[in-house]
């Protein structure tokens, strides 16, 4: 199966390079989403005061089905507000417009406007998104006639992915396979991202930092419903505007759906999987004039079944010794996600937003572990009954303000973000001679305040600056028991605090075919660690400070043609050790795999270079190529040592963290999206890379070097009568276990970092092993209905790991043992989901007092195909 998949992938790459996109299909694809234009501004007098009651009328082309020709029609008429503001929404983005402005005592003024789409592309996503929402500025009425002025606005429908000056954008709201699931399933269908069986996400073999709406979060990906995600932004080399944390993997920014169009809309959805677990949810959005309100609620049930087999050969003994383990476990759980928001827009230039979310849930796991061991000539077999419980609650709030100045590209934003996550967990291991129990609680608080200022000058130069202050406070307490006896010597309370004060400047410019962005970020960073005994007294305290660290970034893009550009960029990043990597008390949940942090870890620094090439070689198609090089010092990596287990008074192997000397990763990343035919879209990605780690581990020098590759495909077939079909797959070759896992929030872990359906937020990283090859396939089929009154409905059936090929195998070695591990989880899972949407975006549904827009104010500019 693996060889077949490899051959098919490379054949399809060759087919893609020569495929042609039918023009008619492109017209139909764009027609459904063309009424997205927005003109707004303010009418002022000679004294720069707003004029109330000015009449504005906008005209544009309308397709007449009788004559089958485009004719001029009135698309909207309105009066300015008391402060002179006006706004025309839901305008077609194609065609020419004429804006007429008249008022008693003033001369009539007309402006020629247009939303002109460059059918061949040639514009970045950031440019198009900025232009489609056009601020016409302050328009002054005078007594003397003025010459007609021309304003040109360019926009287009969303492409599936686009390369901006510092990011790749993937629109995922129509992904079939992830319906009724979480962000983990969304990431499985995004090119260049690798997702393991625990939901841990890696980018270029490292764990990225997770942001939600460009803000830090304490949520993990399996706490975020897929149905509320609008798009995902991959920022491999973040600019100086972003926090320098995140190590050598960049940023994964999840942008949630938000609608601010006048009117109302909403939806309900429900589903069930093959194990009888339900999911459901609904959302509602209402906007009337200056108020926009949104509300969503989602609930998920989940049952996870996993099987693990471990074979460990003990080294250093005169006679053969081994420990073989098999573990079967089942987890039952659920979580709920609630989100509400209020946007207040007092005028066209100012907006206030208030958003809050609550995510809460938990899981109960049980299983059986059999350990068969041979030590010297003594052999024994022991059976353990394992059970664990995990419950969490995550609360977040956000307050933000945005002011748009009259000049295009001139704005001021400020926001405050708060997240608080709590968890409560326990685990029990029972056997004929041992009862081991661990009780734990945890709390994670995160506060972020920032203010940003942007000014765009007439010579296409943009200046950005801002300040940010971040406070993080994490607490964890764990009590250990053996045969119901409290073990105070290994029961510990642990507190971690981090403070970051940062400022940045960015300078963006464009001259002819050359675009650039140069930035510098300065950070003052400190973190403290406090370990307390069972009486609450400090037994360990230390603080590390980095008064001033500078992080430069640079991006240079040269446009070869309207469809091709090339980019060179550089950034410096820091990856401070996280909570779990620093905690000095062991986790004895699995007596054969004891984990413990290292409070003496230093931050790692990474220098990243990238050369990118983008070619929109035909309509509906994009080819991206990126060569990258990353050099890290003090890489945070995993290693294994031998010590006494105080619970059994026997020797045991501990897994901890250490700073490696250096790590180098370089590679070539290719992505290609095209329409093979009018009914078949394909997205392919391929990443060829080399990873090397040099580390000095007590008693051992490690120099691990391996070349590997990763490939992913995603096919969408548009069938007749509203049916569509999606088939995707990925293949991971032999790979060094991901180095430097510490990207906060980047991984899975149902429950948020300590139990449940996942791990601690990232894959195990080590300088002493590698992952063996793996591959899997997902598919889904969906039926869509378009109902009357703007309502829609869809029914989808999806299956993960169709052919039961998803098996995670790892090999690791140290001076003490050689180990092979094989893990299987949730193979071939079927899900059935139904969704129903209602409402309209028509501004006449909830009229403004002064809006007299006629029916059909936003009409398609193209005749039906």
């Amino acid at each position: 199966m693996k060889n077949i998949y490899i051959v098919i992938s490379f054949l399809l790459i060759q087919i893609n390079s020569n495929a042609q996109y039918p023009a008619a299909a492109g017209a139909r694809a764009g027609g459904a989403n063309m009424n997205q234009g927005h003109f707004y501004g303010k009418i002022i007098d000679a004294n720069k005061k707003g004029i109330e009651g000015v009449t504005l009328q906008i005209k544009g082309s309308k397709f007449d089905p009788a004559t089958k020709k485009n004719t001029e029609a009135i698309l909207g008429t309105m009066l300015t507000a008391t402060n002179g503001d006006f706004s025309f929404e839901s305008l077609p983005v194609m065609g020419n417009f004429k804006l007429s402005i008249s008022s008693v005592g003033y001369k009539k003024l007309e402006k020629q406007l247009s939303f002109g789409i460059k059918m061949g592309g040639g514009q970045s996503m950031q440019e198009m998104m900025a232009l489609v929402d056009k601020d016409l500025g302050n328009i002054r009425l005078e007594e003397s006639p003025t010459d007609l002025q021309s304003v040109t606005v360019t926009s287009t429908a969303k492409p599936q992915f686009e390369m901006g000056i510092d990011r790749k954008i993937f629109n995922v709201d129509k992904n079939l396979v992830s319906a009724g699931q979480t962000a983990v399933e969304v990431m499985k269908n995004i090119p260049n991202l690798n997702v393991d069986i625990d939901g841990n996400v890696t980018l270029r073999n490292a764990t990225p930092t997770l942001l939600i709406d460009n803000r830090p979060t304490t949520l993990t990906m399996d706490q975020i419903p897929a149905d509320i995600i609008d798009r995902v932004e991959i920022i491999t080399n973040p600019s100086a505007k972003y926090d320098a944390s995140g190590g050598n993997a960049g940023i994964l920014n999840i942008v949630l759906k938000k609608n601010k169009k006048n009117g109302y809309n909403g939806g309900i959805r429900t589903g069930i999987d093959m194990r009888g677990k339900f999911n459901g949810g609904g959302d509602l959005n209402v906007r009337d004039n200056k108020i926009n309100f949104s509300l969503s609620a989602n609930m998920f049930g989940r049952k996870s079944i996993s099987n693990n087999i471990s074979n460990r050969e003990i080294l250093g003994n005169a006679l053969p010794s081994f420990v073989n383990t098999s573990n079967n476990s089942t987890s039952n759980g659920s979580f709920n996600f609630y989100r509400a928001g209020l946007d207040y827009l007092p005028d066209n230039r100012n907006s206030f937003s208030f958003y809050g979310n609550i995510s809460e849930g938990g899981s109960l796991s049980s299983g059986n572990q059999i350990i068969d061991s041979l030590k010297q000539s003594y052999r024994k077999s022991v059976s353990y009954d394992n059970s664990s419980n995990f419950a969490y609650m995550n609360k977040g709030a956000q307050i933000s303000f945005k002011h748009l100045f009259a000049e295009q590209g001139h704005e001021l934003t400020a926001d405050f973000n708060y997240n608080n996550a709590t968890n409560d967990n326990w685990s029990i291991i029972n056997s004929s001679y041992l009862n081991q129990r661990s009780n734990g609680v945890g709390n994670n608080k995160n506060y972020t305040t920032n203010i940003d200022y942007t000014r765009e000058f007439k010579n296409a130069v943009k200046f950005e600056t801002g300040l940010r202050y971040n406070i993080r406070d994490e607490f964890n307490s764990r009590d250990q028991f053996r045969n119901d006896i409290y073990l105070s010597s290994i029961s510990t309370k642990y507190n971690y605090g981090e403070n970051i004060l940062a400022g940045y400047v960015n300078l963006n410019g464009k001259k002819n075919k050359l675009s650039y962005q140069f930035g510098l970020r300065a950070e003052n960073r400190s973190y403290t660690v406090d370990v307390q005994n069972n009486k609450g007294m400090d037994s360990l305290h230390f603080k590390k400070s980095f008064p001033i660290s500078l992080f430069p970034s640079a991006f240079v893009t040269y446009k070869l043609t309207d469809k091709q550009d090339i980019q060179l960029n550089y950034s410096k990043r820091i990856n401070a050790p996280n909570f779990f990597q620093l905690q000095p008390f062991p986790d004895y949940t699995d007596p054969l795999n004891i984990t413990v942090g290292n409070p003496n870890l230093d931050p790692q620094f990474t220098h990243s270079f990238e050369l990118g090439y983008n070619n929109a070689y035909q309509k509906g198609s994009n080819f991206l190529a990126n060569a990258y090089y990353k050099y890290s010092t003090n890489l945070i990596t995993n290693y294994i040592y031998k010590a006494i287990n105080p619970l059994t008074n026997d020797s045991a192997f501990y897994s901890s963290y250490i700073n490696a000397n250096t790590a180098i990763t370089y590679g070539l990343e290719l992505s290609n999206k095209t329409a093979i035919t009018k009914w078949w879209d394909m997205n392919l990605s391929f990443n060829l890379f080399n990873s090397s780690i040099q580390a000095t581990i007590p008693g051992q020098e490690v120099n691990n070097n391996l070349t590997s590759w990763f490939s992913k495909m995603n096919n969408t077939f548009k069938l007749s009568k509203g049916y569509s079909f999606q088939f995707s797959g990925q293949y991971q070759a032999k790979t060094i276990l991901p180095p430097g896992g510490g990207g906060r929030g980047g991984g899975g872990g149902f429950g948020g970092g300590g139990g449940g359906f996942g791990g601690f937020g990232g894959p195990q990283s080590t300088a002493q092993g590698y992952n063996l090859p793996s591959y899997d396939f997902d598919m889904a089929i969906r039926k869509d209905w378009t109902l009357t009154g703007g309502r829609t409905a869809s029914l989808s059936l999806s299956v993960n790991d169709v052919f039961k090929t998803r098996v995670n195998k790892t090999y690791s070695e140290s001076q003490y043992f050689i180990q092979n591990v094989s893990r299987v989880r949730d193979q071939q899972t079927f899900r059935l989901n139904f969704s129903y949407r209602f409402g309209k975006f028509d501004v006449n549904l909830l009229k403004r007092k002064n809006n007299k827009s006629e029916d059909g104010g936003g009409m398609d500019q193209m005749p039906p195909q």
Side-chain angles (χ1 to χ4, degrees):
M1 179 64 70
K2 179 188 74 174
N3 293 331
I4 294 175
Y5 168 63
I6 296 172
V7 172
I8 292 175
S9 295
F10 282 104
L11 285 176
L12 290 176
I13 291 175
Q14 296 300 319
I15 295 173
N16 260 352
S17 64
N18 298 303
Q20 298 298 316
Y21 190 100
R28 285 194 294 270
N33 194 31
M34 288 194 173
N35 297 339
Q36 302 293 325
H38 181 204
F39 288 133
Y40 62 94
K42 177 183 284 190
I43 306 300
I44 61 173
D45 59 17
N47 297 318
K48 298 184 179 180
K49 293 183 178 181
I51 307 174
E52 180 182 5
V54 177
T55 301
L56 297 98
Q57 185 178 84
I58 189 167
K59 296 181 179 180
S61 297
K62 172 183 177 182
F63 180 72
D64 187 344
T67 62
K68 296 185 178 180
K69 294 181 179 179
N70 286 333
T71 59
E72 188 177 71
I74 298 174
L75 303 183
T77 304
M78 68 176 298
L79 301 175
T80 57
T82 55
N83 62 350
D85 280 352
F86 68 90
S87 177
F88 290 100
E89 298 182 351
S90 301
L91 296 172
V93 296
M94 297 184 65
N96 298 314
F97 305 89
K98 181 167 67 175
L99 178 64
S100 300
I101 308 172
S102 60
S103 180
V104 177
Y106 297 93
K107 296 297 182 179
K108 184 176 181 180
L109 178 65
E110 290 187 342
K111 282 181 173 287
Q112 302 295 327
L113 313 176
S114 68
F115 287 98
I117 297 178
K118 293 182 179 180
M119 301 303 291
Q123 294 171 315
S124 71
M125 169 63 74
Q126 293 163 319
E127 291 173 329
M128 292 186 290
M129 291 179 67
L131 291 173
V132 72
D133 195 55
K134 181 68 175 181
D135 186 351
L136 300 180
N138 293 333
I139 301 176
R140 186 170 63 179
L141 294 185
E142 300 179 356
E143 296 183 358
S144 58
T146 60
D147 295 331
L148 297 180
Q149 300 181 17
S150 176
V151 179
T152 302
V153 180
T154 307
S155 183
T156 186
K158 286 184 181 181
Q160 186 168 353
F161 70 90
E162 180 75 12
M163 185 172 78
I165 188 73
D166 63 351
R167 71 193 63 198
K168 300 181 185 71
I169 302 170
F170 298 87
N171 297 296
V172 297
D173 55 324
K174 294 184 178 180
N175 186 49
L176 276 63
V177 173
S178 60
Q181 301 193 67
T182 66
V184 173
E185 283 70 29
V186 172
M187 303 306 157
K188 289 180 181 178
N189 289 278
I190 294 180
N192 311 125
L193 294 182
N194 192 5
V195 184
D196 68 16
I197 64 173
D198 293 315
N200 298 310
V201 179
T202 54
L203 171 64
R204 295 176 179 173
N205 208 35
T207 304
T209 296
L210 175 64
L211 300 180
I212 295 181
D213 291 331
N214 277 315
R215 295 171 176 86
T217 181
T218 53
L219 290 168
T220 55
M221 289 193 190
D222 51 8
Q223 296 171 2
I224 306 171
D227 296 313
I228 69 172
I229 299 175
D230 178 43
R231 65 183 185 274
V232 176
E233 299 176 343
I234 297 179
I235 309 172
T236 52
N237 254 5
S239 70
K241 185 175 182 178
Y242 289 92
D243 187 356
S245 299
N248 58 352
I251 291 173
L252 207 57
N253 181 38
I254 294 179
V255 180
L256 302 181
K257 293 178 180 178
K258 181 185 291 187
N259 199 314
K260 290 187 178 180
K261 287 184 174 295
N262 275 340
Y264 73 92
N265 68 92
I268 57 175
R269 48 194 172 269
T270 186
I272 187 173
D273 65 20
M274 60 185 289
R275 292 169 180 161
K277 294 297 182 178
F278 288 90
N279 71 80
D283 60 86
L284 178 67
N285 192 93
V286 179
R287 179 176 176 184
D288 183 9
N289 200 5
K290 298 180 179 180
I291 300 295
N292 183 75
F293 173 75
S294 61
L295 177 68
S296 67
N298 299 268
M299 67 173 188
F300 290 83
R302 183 73 62 85
K303 182 177 182 180
S304 180
I305 299 175
S306 62
N307 306 98
N308 306 332
I309 297 176
S310 171
N311 298 313
R312 177 182 293 179
E313 179 186 354
I314 308 300
L315 304 177
N317 295 325
L319 297 176
S321 299
F322 64 83
V323 179
N324 296 333
T325 305
S326 63
N327 192 338
N328 302 314
S329 64
T330 301
S331 296
N332 284 280
S334 64
F335 82 93
N336 304 317
F337 187 93
Y338 311 97
R339 177 176 169 86
L342 180 69
D343 299 288
Y344 174 59
L345 300 92
D347 52 49
N348 287 334
R349 302 274 165 72
N350 296 282
S351 63
F352 299 86
S353 297
F354 310 87
Y355 279 82
N357 61 266
I358 296 177
S359 179
E360 55 90 18
S363 64
L364 178 63
S365 303
S366 61
N368 177 258
Q369 184 180 35
I370 298 176
I371 301 177
D372 183 24
S373 62
L374 174 66
K375 186 175 182 181
Q376 305 292 346
S377 60
Y378 177 69
R379 182 167 186 167
K380 68 177 180 178
S381 181
V382 181
S383 177
Y384 294 94
D385 291 323
N386 303 328
S387 59
S388 63
N389 182 75
F390 185 88
Y392 80 95
M393 175 170 285
N394 193 310
K395 296 178 287 187
Q398 174 196 328
I399 302 174
S400 61
F401 165 75
K402 185 173 185 177
H403 174 72
L404 301 176
F405 296 90
E407 300 86 0
Q408 177 72 21
H410 191 187
E411 64 182 52
L412 176 71
T413 61
D415 66 61
F416 171 77
N417 196 63
Y418 166 76
N419 284 279
N420 183 10
T422 59
N423 69 79
D424 188 350
N425 59 86
W426 55 259
S427 64
I428 298 175
I429 300 176
N430 276 318
S431 71
S432 58
Y433 69 94
L434 173 68
N435 177 283
Q436 178 180 317
R437 178 162 54 93
S438 175
N439 297 337
V441 295
N443 181 265
N444 182 351
K445 296 181 180 179
N446 192 23
Y447 308 84
T448 305
T449 303
N450 59 276
I451 182 169
D452 299 280
Y453 174 79
T454 302
R455 178 69 186 269
E456 186 173 329
F457 300 97
K458 293 183 179 180
N459 57 355
V461 174
K462 183 169 69 173
F463 173 77
E464 297 176 297
T465 187
L467 294 172
R468 183 186 185 203
Y469 184 54
N470 177 250
I471 300 175
R472 179 185 292 269
D473 185 21
E474 301 184 49
F475 171 78
N476 188 288
S477 174
R478 182 169 295 161
D479 294 329
Q480 305 283 358
F481 299 83
R482 184 179 185 223
N483 296 329
D484 294 327
I485 299 175
Y486 177 64
L487 303 177
S488 60
S489 61
I490 59 173
S491 299
T492 317
K493 296 177 175 63
Y494 174 73
N495 193 83
Y496 170 82
E498 183 181 58
N499 291 269
I500 303 174
L501 176 63
Y504 75 92
V505 291
N506 266 342
L507 186 65
N508 301 261
K510 184 176 182 180
K511 186 174 183 180
N512 298 326
K513 296 183 177 182
L514 186 69
S515 302
Y516 60 86
Q517 180 188 99
F518 300 109
L520 181 65
R521 185 179 187 88
E523 289 191 352
N524 177 292
R525 179 188 300 263
S526 65
Y527 61 87
T528 59
V529 172
D530 291 283
V531 180
Q532 300 174 337
N533 57 26
N534 61 318
K535 295 181 180 180
M537 303 296 292
D538 287 346
S539 58
L540 173 66
H541 170 83
F542 70 87
K543 178 179 180 179
K544 289 192 176 183
S545 299
F546 303 87
I548 293 293
S549 299
L550 298 179
F551 300 93
S553 64
F555 301 80
V556 178
T557 302
Y558 183 77
K559 186 172 287 295
L560 302 173
T561 67
D562 287 341
K563 297 181 180 181
Q564 301 180 71
D565 52 58
I566 189 170
Q567 181 185 104
L568 177 66
N569 59 58
Y570 162 80
S571 70
K572 179 185 176 183
R573 307 277 290 163
I574 185 176
N575 185 28
N578 65 28
F579 177 86
F580 297 101
Q581 292 168 338
L582 288 171
Q583 62 179 2
F585 53 91
D587 178 5
Y588 297 100
T589 303
D590 184 351
L592 291 181
N593 296 282
I594 302 172
T595 59
V596 60
N598 178 5
N600 297 314
L601 287 175
D602 290 320
Q604 73 179 52
F605 290 89
T606 300
H607 299 267
S608 297
F609 301 84
E610 188 170 327
L611 177 65
Y613 169 75
N614 178 38
N615 185 359
Y617 54 92
Q618 59 187 27
K619 186 176 180 180
S621 300
N622 263 93
F623 173 73
L624 300 177
N626 290 278
Y628 57 91
Y629 176 88
K630 296 183 292 185
Y631 176 80
S632 299
T633 57
N634 286 333
L635 179 80
I636 300 173
T637 189
N638 185 270
Y639 82 105
I640 296 168
Y641 67 92
K642 190 176 182 179
I644 297 297
N645 181 352
L647 292 175
T648 61
N649 294 320
D650 196 3
S651 61
F653 299 110
Y654 288 72
S655 176
S656 188
Y657 296 90
I658 197 171
N659 288 113
N661 300 334
T662 60
I664 297 175
T665 301
Y666 59 89
L668 176 65
E669 188 177 73
L670 306 175
S671 298
N672 186 50
K673 184 265 178 182
T674 192
I676 304 295
T677 69
K678 65 180 181 180
W679 48 266
W680 180 10
D681 291 333
M682 173 175 280
N683 198 330
L684 294 172
S685 64
F686 177 78
N687 184 12
L688 176 67
F689 60 94
N690 176 275
S691 297
S692 63
I693 302 174
Q694 293 182 345
T696 302
I697 295 175
Q700 186 180 5
E701 290 288 334
V702 175
N703 188 347
N704 203 349
N705 186 299
L706 184 66
T707 297
S708 182
W709 61 278
F710 169 72
S711 180
K712 181 179 286 190
M713 69 171 182
N714 193 333
N715 300 272
T716 301
F717 303 91
K718 302 171 187 176
L719 310 178
S720 61
K721 298 182 180 180
Y723 285 95
S724 54
F725 176 74
Q726 183 173 315
F727 180 71
S728 59
Q730 64 178 11
Y731 177 83
Q732 172 70 67
K734 180 180 176 181
T735 310
I736 292 178
L737 294 182
R744 289 190 178 92
F750 183 92
F757 288 101
F760 289 124
Q764 280 292 325
S765 54
T766 180
Q768 300 166 279
Y770 49 81
N771 287 315
L772 294 173
S774 63
Y775 62 99
D776 64 279
F777 302 90
D778 299 333
M779 68 179 184
I781 187 169
R782 185 174 70 186
K783 166 65 175 175
D784 294 308
W785 292 272
T786 301
L787 310 175
T788 59
R791 298 170 297 147
T792 62
S794 66
L795 181 69
S796 64
L797 176 65
S798 63
V799 55
N800 299 103
D801 193 11
V802 181
F803 305 113
K804 294 185 177 181
T805 57
R806 191 172 181 82
V807 180
N808 179 255
K809 295 182 179 180
T810 61
Y811 169 87
S812 57
E813 65 178 39
S814 71
Q815 59 182 325
Y816 307 109
F817 64 80
I818 296 174
Q819 179 171 277
N820 288 277
V821 178
S822 177
R823 303 179 61 228
V824 174
R825 180 179 174 188
D826 298 333
Q827 289 186 320
Q828 201 180 71
T829 304
F830 290 82
R831 291 180 177 86
L832 183 67
N833 291 280
F834 174 78
S835 67
Y836 170 78
R837 297 207 61 82
F838 59 87
K840 292 185 177 181
F841 298 131
D842 192 340
V843 294
N844 293 303
L845 294 174
L846 295 172
K847 289 186 177 180
R848 298 181 180 184
K849 294 179 181 179
N850 56 0
N851 194 333
K852 298 181 180 179
S853 300
E854 68 176 25
D855 292 338
M859 289 163 267
D860 290 344
Q861 297 288 296
M862 302 182 67
Q865 299 294 321

